[in-house]
Amino acid sequence: MTDTPPHTPPTTTHHERPFTGHPGRWEKERARAERTGHVRNDSCSHDCEPVLVCERTRWGWLAWTVPGDGSLPEIPHQIGVLTPAATCLQRLALRWLTRRPAQRIGLGGIPASVRLSVATLAVASLLTGLYAAAQRIPVDVVLPAILLAPLLAEHLLERLDARAFEHVRTVEGDAPCRYVQRLAALHSDLVAAAASSDRYELRRPAEIGQHLLWDAAGLLQTQDTLAASDALIARERLMLHLVNQVTQTIGCTACEDGATEAGQARVRRPTSPSTHHA
């Protein structure tokens, strides 16, 4: 499929660049990434893992790669879509998945690394074990505890990641991300309209939009954009229809409110006193 939408969408700047609604946020995140991680450049190999900056949204997240030339990225490296009607626990899972990357420590000449938190726990368990041994606690009790503590910690983190991903669908690759990015920009208009009102006519389109994003992410996890083009275009047409419908609803509401205020002003306007003749 092509990247041209079936209709011209309303003017929107959502997600065209990182943190569109928060000026200065990208520079702070980019500076932090450069201090704590590796920024990909022309000398990197294909298997070089980029440093990602996650931008959380009400519907999921966009993970942006930090370019080595200091420019703004145009296409997210990864997009995650949260399950519709997410619970508080599932939203916490989203925050867990978009936490900052854990610092890792290399293991000398071995091509492997461990998390800083796991290494800290290993040192703490070793010191605790030595203290326990000094208190004449049997070695066959102390030694397994020293060895198992860091292994269990690493396993627990992996299990938490796996459970959290059960509530999220992720999309990667330029073509899939470009499509979901455009769909998410339209959905953000629906979310913004629903957040400013409790009207059903505005809340329902936002709920449908979340389902459309979820479905599109599911399609792109199993098919490429060409194979899923018909289904993707149908969802984009529906999303555009929802945005136009919400725009009309807001416009009609503004007209009705203006007419009501004008009518109330005429009622409140004082009448001139009548003239009495002697």
Side-chain angles (χ1 to χ4, degrees):
M1 64 176 285
T2 62
D3 289 321
T4 303
H7 299 293
T8 303
T11 302
T12 180
T13 58
H14 295 299
H15 313 315
E16 289 183 356
R17 292 292 189 275
F19 303 101
T20 306
H22 302 84
R25 176 73 182 276
W26 170 252
E27 290 302 320
K28 294 179 181 178
E29 295 293 341
R30 181 184 62 81
R32 180 182 291 109
E34 290 177 345
R35 290 195 306 268
T36 59
H38 169 70
V39 176
R40 178 181 286 180
N41 52 42
D42 294 336
S43 63
C44 293
S45 59
H46 292 292
D47 58 350
C48 178
E49 290 293 332
V51 171
L52 299 179
V53 172
C54 285
E55 178 183 358
R56 296 191 191 101
T57 67
R58 290 173 180 254
W59 50 263
W61 77 76
L62 302 98
W64 304 90
T65 303
V66 180
D69 59 2
S71 62
L72 282 171
E74 298 181 1
I75 304 173
H77 176 82
Q78 181 191 79
I79 297 179
V81 180
L82 184 63
T83 181
T87 64
C88 291
L89 184 60
Q90 290 167 343
R91 291 193 175 278
L92 286 176
L94 183 145
R95 297 188 68 85
W96 170 263
L97 291 174
T98 54
R99 67 193 186 279
R100 291 194 177 95
Q103 291 182 293
R104 305 188 73 91
I105 300 176
L107 300 178
I110 303 175
S113 62
V114 296
R115 302 174 195 254
L116 177 61
S117 57
V118 174
T120 303
L121 179 60
V123 173
S125 63
L126 176 60
L127 296 176
T128 304
L130 292 175
Y131 175 79
Q135 300 300 314
R136 300 185 182 278
I137 297 177
V139 177
D140 57 350
V141 175
V142 174
L143 186 58
I146 295 175
L147 297 177
L148 288 175
L151 295 177
L152 290 175
E154 184 76 19
H155 177 69
L156 177 61
L157 293 173
E158 292 175 355
R159 286 296 298 263
L160 288 174
D161 286 346
R163 289 295 300 272
F165 269 116
E166 293 177 359
H167 312 299
V168 175
R169 289 177 177 173
T170 58
V171 175
E172 294 185 2
D174 284 356
C177 282
R178 186 181 290 111
Y179 173 80
V180 179
Q181 179 184 17
R182 186 170 67 236
L183 204 63
L186 295 171
H187 177 56
S188 293
D189 286 332
L190 303 178
V191 173
S196 60
S197 174
D198 59 354
R199 293 183 59 181
Y200 177 82
E201 297 89 341
L202 300 180
R203 287 189 294 106
R204 184 54 181 163
E207 294 171 359
I208 297 174
Q210 182 72 32
H211 282 277
L212 292 175
L213 269 182
W214 178 255
D215 292 345
L219 286 171
L220 292 170
Q221 281 185 329
T222 58
Q223 305 177 52
D224 59 25
T225 53
L226 182 60
S229 61
D230 291 342
L232 294 174
I233 289 174
R235 283 161 176 77
E236 188 168 6
R237 288 184 185 276
L238 180 53
M239 186 76 84
L240 284 163
H241 175 73
L242 291 172
V243 172
N244 290 331
Q245 176 182 314
V246 166
T247 301
Q248 293 174 7
T249 299
I250 293 175
C252 291
T253 301
C255 291
E256 292 172 359
D257 292 344
T260 301
E261 291 177 0
Q264 292 174 348
R266 286 195 295 269
V267 171
R268 292 194 300 265
R269 186 178 302 160
T271 57
S272 55
S274 57
T275 304
H276 297 279
H277 299 281

